[in-house]
């Protein structure tokens, strides 16, 4: 895990001040992401910064790697798995010494199992430089960029670009993104940022930059349909549920072994165990491989009985497992402090209210000298865990649909229905549905459910669960990992028949069958509890905002303060989230 920044100036005017400015910002936002070492290069035409958290590589930079600023150099964030069990080559060495020498670079990158931003730079002369910048297909790692007639910036953290725009007096709120957030469950804009001009590189896409022509283009390099295998679907359709469950158990065990092969020999991975299926079975498999590890549970007073039940869950498996367990008590004051920091990092309202809570867990893991923290993100999207997948009509998943929020603003939903975000989601879903329909392997209902799952992986998961694990948790020098987003796991989940993942035979459908079965195998069916959520105290932070009559948000939305009394909890949280954002950046 690392942090990267690259800045190309179209003209050399004022470059000395800007180089100093970007160095300060890099040390403020990127240094903690890669505390092992940092490299930078600055000249009158560009600035480059790389921070490194050594996981697969040596703690000291290999002298075989090109220096930043040389004729050909690499900026890299993330991890690639499955390269070498003997640990004789790190992912960084592989990129420089193997991958970048291959003729068909795009094809080779599309086959990698990893979470990454891979940036290859070629200096064509002393002033000009070309770049190809790739983001992994699932979108585990994030990259923001800005491009105008003066400058080109890419950054692991949007806050650095925001700081530049503020310095240039160009900071403008992106009203379309904010309105989209108001109408949806989460802030899931796949490309646009909360400030105008800042964009996010989409999963499976690359940026092509040529400074001599001052040219920038975003292009899709990964064919999402490759994640679905017709042959695997037919194979899984013809086996029993028990055989399917056994295949899943074997695959997740192999996946965790693969990931554990890529960790420092002297460092044991830690994990989150919330009490739900996903993080619990990940923790159980990790424990089987190494019994000396930290397990973390966040406790919210009077809010989440599932988390409080975790000690009973662990004790049912092993009393030794319980000895590894650490509970973290979250108070509203703790939540509030991390809320402000994560808004700063993201330079936007936080994408989901669980982000400050997750930050607290990562903070504890960092304090305990852990650098790897496992979780269960992705299981619901890949293995159909959401109740909305049970809807036969399946108009839209609750995670990307437009909700009936703020009905007193009659024009709000109409505007969002016609914005770029809604069109992107609609086209993504339609294309995948049509692809599945043309295979003639499943009925219309199952094709719709699979298409919803696919959109949730590419949009919802990337911009909510994975933005938590990457952009915010990385601020603490933590590499967050989730086995459910590894390539073979995603291919297995997407290529699984719906009836192997959801049991429709009961009056209330049962979701995530193989994961539920794994939980029963490792713990107990009696310990299954309805998951409430990794919530925190979002609405409770209202007490720190003072009299609502003086809030900034009303002028920005052209609403009256009196509307607050008529809002439900979800609507109230969105207003509170926006208010904290505006107080930081207004």
């Amino acid at each position: 895990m690392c942090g990267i920044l690259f800045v190309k100036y179209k003209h050399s005017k004022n470059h000395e001040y800007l180089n100093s400015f970007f160095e300060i910002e890099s040390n403020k936002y990127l240094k903690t992401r890669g505390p092992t070492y940092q490299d930078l290069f600055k000249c009158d035409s560009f600035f480059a910064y790389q921070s490194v958290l050594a996981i697969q590589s040596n703690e000291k930079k290999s002298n075989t790697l090109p220096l930043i600023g040389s004729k050909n150099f690499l900026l890299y964030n993330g991890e690639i798995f499955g390269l070498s069990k003997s640990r004789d080559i790190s992912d960084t060495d592989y990129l420089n010494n193997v991958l970048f020498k291959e003729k068909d670079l795009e094809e080779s990158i599309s086959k990698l199992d990893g979470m990454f931003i891979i940036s290859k730079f070629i200096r064509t002369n002393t002033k000009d430089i070309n770049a190809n910048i790739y983001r992994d297909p699932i979108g585990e790692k994030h990259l923001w960029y800005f491009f105008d007639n003066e400058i080109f910036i890419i950054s692991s953290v949007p806050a650095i670009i925001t700081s530049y725009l503020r310095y240039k007096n160009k900071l403008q709120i992106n009203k379309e993104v904010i309105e989209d957030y108001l109408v949806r469950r989460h802030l899931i804009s796949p490309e646009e940022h909360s400030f105008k001009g800042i964009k996010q590189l989409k999963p499976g896409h690359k940026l092509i930059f040529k400074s001599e022509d001052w040219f920038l283009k975003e292009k899709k390099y990964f064919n999402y349909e490759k994640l679905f295998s017709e042959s695997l679907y037919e194979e899984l359709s013809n086996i029993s549920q028990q055989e399917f469950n056994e295949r899943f158990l074997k695959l997740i065990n192999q996946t965790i072994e693969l990931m554990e092969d890529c960790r420092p020999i002297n460092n044991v991975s830690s994990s989150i165990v919330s009490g739900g299926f996903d993080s619990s079975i990940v923790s159980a498999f990790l424990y089987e491989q190494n019994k000396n590890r930290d397990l973390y549970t966040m406790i919210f007073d009077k809010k989440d009985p599932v988390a409080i039940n975790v000690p009973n869950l662990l004790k049912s498996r092993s009393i030794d497992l319980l000895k590894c367990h650490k509970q973290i008590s979250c108070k509203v004051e703790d939540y509030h402090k991390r809320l402000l920091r994560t808004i700063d990092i993201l330079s936007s309202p936080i994408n989901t209210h669980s982000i400050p809570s997750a930050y607290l867990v990562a903070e504890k893991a960092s304090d305990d000298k852990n650098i790897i923290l496992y979780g269960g993100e992705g299981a619901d999207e890949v293995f159909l865990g959401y109740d909305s997948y049970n809807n036969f009509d399946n108009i839209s998943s609750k995670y990307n649909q437009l909700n009936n929020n703020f009905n007193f603003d009659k024009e709000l939903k109409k505007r969002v229905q016609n914005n770029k975000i809604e069109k992107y989601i609609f086209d993504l879903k339609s294309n995948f549905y049509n692809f599945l329909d043309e295979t003639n392997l499943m009925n219309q209902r199952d094709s719709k459910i699979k298409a919803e799952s696919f959109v949730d992986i590419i949009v919802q998961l990337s911009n909510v669960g994975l933005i938590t694990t990457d952009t915010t948790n990385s601020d603490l020098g933590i590499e967050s990992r989730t086995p459910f987003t590894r390539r073979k796991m995603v291919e297995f989940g997407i290529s699984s028949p719906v009836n192997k993942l959801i049991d429709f035979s009961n009056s209330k459908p049962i979701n995530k069958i193989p994961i539920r079965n794994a939980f029963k195998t490792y713990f107990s069916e009696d310990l299954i509890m309805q998951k409430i959520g990794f919530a925190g105290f979002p609405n409770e932070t209202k007490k720190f905002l003072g009299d609502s009559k003086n809030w900034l948000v009303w002028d920005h939305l052209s609403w009256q303060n009196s509307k607050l009394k008529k809002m439900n909890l979800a609507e109230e949280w969105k207003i509170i989230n926006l208010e904290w954002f505006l107080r930081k950046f207004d």
Side-chain angles (χ1 to χ4, degrees):
M1 186 277 300
C2 313
I4 63 175
L5 176 71
F6 174 78
V7 183
K8 179 69 178 76
Y9 311 120
K10 189 173 184 180
H11 307 292
S12 59
K13 181 182 177 182
N14 202 26
H15 76 273
E16 290 184 1
Y17 173 81
L18 286 174
N19 280 341
S20 298
F21 172 86
F22 285 117
E23 183 173 355
I24 292 169
E25 293 297 308
S26 296
N27 288 330
K28 181 178 179 182
Y29 289 107
L30 299 180
K31 187 175 182 178
T32 54
R33 290 176 60 96
T36 306
Y37 65 83
Q38 301 82 40
D39 281 346
L40 68 85
F41 178 86
K42 49 189 176 181
C43 64
D44 63 355
S45 61
F46 72 92
F47 175 94
Y49 185 99
Q50 171 87 67
S51 63
V52 175
L53 173 65
I55 294 178
Q56 297 186 32
S57 58
N58 295 322
E59 292 196 0
K60 292 184 179 180
K61 185 175 180 181
S62 169
N63 58 15
T64 65
L65 301 183
L67 296 173
I68 293 178
S70 56
K71 183 176 180 181
N72 299 312
F73 66 94
L74 162 79
L75 295 179
Y76 171 53
N77 175 24
E79 289 190 88
I80 298 168
F81 300 103
L83 294 176
S84 173
K85 281 195 172 185
S86 62
R87 299 175 184 263
D88 57 357
I89 183 171
S90 73
D91 47 5
T92 310
D93 289 316
Y94 171 78
L95 291 176
N96 271 293
N97 301 326
V98 180
L99 186 70
F100 281 173
K101 294 179 181 178
E102 295 184 7
K103 292 182 179 179
D104 194 343
L105 184 60
E106 280 190 27
E107 180 65 20
S108 299
I109 288 178
S110 70
K111 294 177 181 178
L112 295 176
D113 177 18
M115 45 182 177
F116 55 77
I117 297 294
I118 299 173
S119 309
K120 182 179 182 180
F121 296 88
I122 301 173
R123 298 186 69 177
T124 57
N125 54 53
T126 56
K127 294 287 185 182
D128 290 306
I129 194 166
N130 295 336
N132 288 302
I133 304 154
Y134 300 84
R135 184 180 179 191
D136 68 79
I138 304 301
E140 290 187 75
K141 290 299 176 184
H142 297 72
L143 188 83
W144 284 265
Y145 66 94
F146 178 82
F147 180 73
D148 67 6
N149 59 4
E150 296 179 4
I151 201 167
F152 169 56
I153 309 172
I154 64 167
S155 176
S156 298
V157 177
I160 296 178
I161 304 177
T162 303
S163 297
Y164 168 78
L165 292 177
R166 176 175 266 175
Y167 157 68
K168 298 291 286 186
N169 293 318
K170 292 182 178 181
L171 201 60
Q172 291 182 287
I173 290 175
N174 191 332
K175 185 179 178 182
E176 183 173 274
V177 168
I178 298 302
E179 289 191 337
D180 192 87
Y181 165 60
L182 290 172
V183 177
R184 296 187 199 275
R185 186 181 179 101
H186 297 136
L187 198 163
I188 61 171
S189 176
E191 181 178 17
E192 301 290 329
H193 184 262
S194 297
F195 286 114
K196 289 183 179 180
I198 303 176
K199 294 185 180 295
Q200 182 182 187
L201 181 59
K202 295 188 290 295
H205 284 63
K206 76 169 185 175
L207 280 179
I208 304 166
F209 173 68
K210 298 179 181 179
S211 71
E212 193 169 9
D213 303 319
W214 206 243
F215 168 86
L216 183 71
K217 181 180 180 180
E218 182 170 334
K219 174 189 172 185
K220 180 179 172 183
Y221 77 87
F222 182 80
N223 182 5
Y224 295 130
E225 286 75 14
K226 286 183 177 180
L227 296 171
F228 179 83
S229 167
E230 293 186 36
S231 60
L232 180 57
Y233 182 90
E234 292 180 308
E235 180 185 346
L236 297 176
S237 297
N238 293 317
I239 62 176
S240 69
Q241 184 69 55
Q242 182 178 345
E243 290 173 311
F244 179 84
N245 293 343
E246 290 170 355
R247 284 275 295 267
F248 169 79
L249 280 173
K250 182 178 180 181
L251 179 59
I252 191 169
N253 190 42
Q254 291 173 339
T255 301
I256 292 175
E257 284 183 356
L258 173 80
M259 299 175 80
E260 282 292 274
D261 284 336
C262 301
R263 64 168 175 80
I265 296 174
N266 60 350
N267 190 284
V268 178
S269 305
S270 60
S271 67
I272 296 169
V273 52
S274 66
F277 294 152
D278 314 326
S279 62
S280 298
I281 64 167
V282 169
S283 295
F285 275 107
L286 281 167
Y287 178 75
E288 292 299 316
Q289 294 189 26
N290 190 319
K291 294 177 170 51
N292 179 28
R293 65 179 69 253
D294 292 324
L295 308 177
Y296 299 104
T297 301
M298 176 63 70
I299 303 295
F300 306 103
D301 185 35
K302 300 177 183 178
K303 271 206 166 190
D304 190 355
V306 180
I308 295 172
N309 191 50
V310 168
N312 293 328
L313 181 76
L314 299 177
K315 192 163 48 177
S316 72
R317 180 67 185 172
S318 166
I319 194 68
D320 291 329
L321 190 61
L322 189 61
K323 294 176 183 177
C324 302
H325 186 229
K326 298 184 179 182
Q327 293 179 316
I328 306 164
S329 178
C330 179
K331 298 180 174 61
V332 64
E333 291 79 11
D334 302 324
Y335 183 93
H336 171 235
K337 181 179 178 181
R338 279 67 180 189
L339 170 67
L340 299 182
R341 176 58 181 170
T342 51
I343 285 175
D344 183 23
I345 296 165
L346 295 167
S347 294
S348 77
I350 58 172
N351 300 52
T352 176
H353 60 262
S354 65
I355 284 179
S357 311
Y359 192 91
L360 274 165
V361 177
E363 195 170 56
K364 173 60 176 168
S366 179
D367 289 344
D368 290 341
K369 310 301 180 186
N370 289 299
I371 61 173
I372 298 174
L373 180 65
Y374 280 83
E377 290 81 9
D380 285 317
E381 292 85 354
V382 175
F383 290 95
L384 304 184
Y386 296 136
D387 290 342
S388 55
Y389 301 139
N390 304 340
N391 178 2
F392 279 36
D393 295 329
N394 210 55
I395 297 170
S396 192
S397 161
K398 62 185 176 185
Y399 290 91
N400 58 59
Q401 71 180 5
L402 303 181
N403 299 313
N404 293 319
N405 293 335
F406 309 105
N407 281 331
F408 51 79
D409 188 337
K410 302 300 182 184
E411 300 300 317
L412 174 62
K413 191 169 183 179
K414 290 181 183 178
R415 290 195 297 271
V416 174
Q417 284 173 329
N418 295 305
N419 70 16
K420 289 182 288 186
I421 301 170
E422 178 66 4
K423 184 179 185 307
Y424 176 80
I425 291 172
F426 176 82
D427 289 345
L428 197 64
K429 181 164 51 177
S430 296
N431 291 340
F432 198 70
Y433 171 79
N434 291 334
F435 163 75
L436 292 176
D437 191 50
E438 289 173 3
T439 65
N440 292 316
L441 289 172
M442 60 188 80
N443 59 36
Q444 187 180 67
R445 180 204 71 180
D446 288 1
S447 293
K448 285 184 177 180
I449 292 172
K450 283 289 181 183
E452 289 297 336
S453 165
F454 172 76
V455 172
D456 281 341
I457 292 168
I458 301 301
V459 180
Q460 148 77 15
L461 175 61
S462 171
N463 292 295
V464 179
L466 298 179
I467 210 169
T468 304
T469 58
D470 174 40
T471 312
T472 57
N473 287 6
S474 293
D475 184 55
L476 298 158
I478 288 289
E479 180 72 313
S480 296
R481 290 177 170 180
T482 172
F484 295 110
T485 52
R486 299 283 47 80
R487 177 66 64 86
K488 286 186 178 180
M489 290 293 289
V490 173
E491 291 173 349
F492 183 85
I494 287 183
S495 305
S496 293
V498 170
N499 64 5
K500 292 292 196 295
L501 302 176
I502 304 177
D503 182 358
F504 287 107
S505 64
N506 296 312
S507 57
K508 186 181 187 314
I510 298 174
N511 297 70
K512 275 194 309 193
I513 296 174
I515 297 178
R516 179 182 290 263
N517 176 74
F519 185 91
K520 292 178 186 178
T521 300
Y522 276 82
F523 299 104
S524 166
E525 187 170 5
D526 296 335
L527 290 166
I528 294 176
M529 296 180 70
Q530 183 65 41
K531 192 75 174 71
I532 292 176
F534 198 53
F537 298 98
N539 294 61
E540 289 83 349
T541 63
K542 180 172 63 174
K543 74 177 187 179
F544 300 108
L545 287 169
D547 192 338
S548 62
K549 289 186 294 188
N550 301 320
W551 290 6
L552 302 172
V553 70
W554 310 121
D555 287 338
H556 281 266
L557 297 175
S558 301
W559 291 348
Q560 297 173 351
N561 163 48
S562 59
K563 301 289 187 187
L564 186 64
K565 297 177 182 178
K566 302 176 183 178
M567 295 178 189
N568 60 39
L569 284 174
E571 292 171 332
E572 182 185 68
W573 157 240
K574 289 179 181 291
I575 298 302
I576 292 169
N577 193 15
L578 286 177
E579 180 64 19
W580 283 119
F581 164 66
L582 292 171
R583 292 197 183 192
K584 170 67 180 175
F585 293 104
D586 189 71

